[in-house]
Amino acid sequence: MAIHKLDLGEFDEIDYDLIAIHTSLESYRLAYFINQKLPINLSKSKNEIEISLKEGDTYFSRFYFYNEEKSISWNLIQNKNEINVGSKPDQHDLFSNTMTEVNTNVYLLPDFKKVDYFLKVEKSEEAFDILKILQLLNTIDTISAVYEVDTSKIKSKNNLIF
């Protein structure tokens, strides 16, 4: 019987580009402006990204487009979300029956807390001009900053697997 070996290094290969976007726009408006500037058609995905934390589960919105001609997947992903954490006090006093609610910010990639959205572009072997994409995104007035993220420096890469 033959023995087959799998090289786990093949699965660790990063085959996507990640663009950080700083803006105060809502996700649907940002997707609309990106669709106008780039030759893509992002639409709201029913499959939101779920992250489980000790505080609870949270969902990050996602807009998706797949270009069949070039075999490129586009994902616009929300990075910041608020989770409502309720806690019951340990004390037994006049206010012990009240429940305190605290809103906590959670991030898809905690390494980049100032980033509002990420544009994840999964590509095939075909050449892809990331600089042209950055220039086109920079022409959107309501975006304050756009830049490529060095994917080797991301500590929570598993959050980008969906």
Side-chain angles (χ1 to χ4, degrees):
M1 187 155 116
I3 297 175
H4 296 282
K5 287 185 179 180
L6 291 177
D7 183 14
L8 296 178
E10 293 175 13
F11 296 109
D12 198 24
E13 194 174 304
I14 296 173
D15 58 346
Y16 60 86
D17 289 315
L18 196 62
I19 299 171
I21 301 173
H22 295 262
T23 183
S24 60
L25 287 174
E26 292 291 326
S27 56
Y28 66 93
R29 292 197 33 97
L30 179 60
Y32 171 77
F33 287 124
I34 290 174
N35 287 341
Q36 286 185 327
K37 295 294 180 179
L38 301 177
I40 61 175
N41 189 16
L42 291 168
S43 59
K44 180 86 168 150
S45 174
K46 293 178 184 173
N47 301 326
E48 292 184 332
I49 301 166
E50 179 182 4
I51 303 289
S52 296
L53 303 167
K54 60 183 175 187
E55 294 90 3
D57 294 343
T58 186
Y59 298 89
F60 294 93
S61 69
R62 174 181 171 210
F63 288 78
Y64 179 75
F65 174 70
Y66 180 70
N67 185 336
E68 291 180 19
E69 183 181 305
K70 297 182 180 181
S71 298
I72 299 176
S73 294
W74 299 78
N75 286 284
L76 177 65
I77 312 155
Q78 175 186 19
N79 186 42
K80 296 179 183 179
N81 203 354
E82 246 182 34
I83 188 168
N84 192 350
V85 181
S87 63
K88 198 162 187 155
D90 294 334
Q91 307 167 2
H92 295 287
D93 58 7
L94 181 62
F95 302 104
S96 63
N97 292 335
T98 60
M99 184 105 164
T100 353
E101 290 186 1
V102 178
N103 288 338
T104 306
N105 286 331
V106 286
Y107 302 92
L108 181 68
L109 296 180
D111 314 345
F112 300 94
K113 291 185 177 182
K114 297 201 183 251
V115 175
D116 298 306
Y117 297 95
F118 288 105
L119 187 62
K120 179 182 174 188
V121 184
E122 298 176 46
K123 57 191 183 304
S124 63
E125 299 300 318
E126 189 174 317
F128 181 75
D129 190 4
I130 190 79
L131 293 176
K132 184 177 180 184
I133 300 300
L134 290 173
Q135 287 174 346
L136 289 170
L137 290 175
N138 256 333
T139 61
I140 299 173
D141 293 335
T142 51
I143 292 179
S144 56
V146 174
Y147 53 89
E148 185 176 8
V149 174
D150 184 4
T151 52
S152 65
K153 295 185 179 179
I154 300 173
K155 294 177 186 168
S156 49
K157 290 179 188 174
N158 290 344
N159 292 352
L160 292 174
I161 300 171
F162 42 85

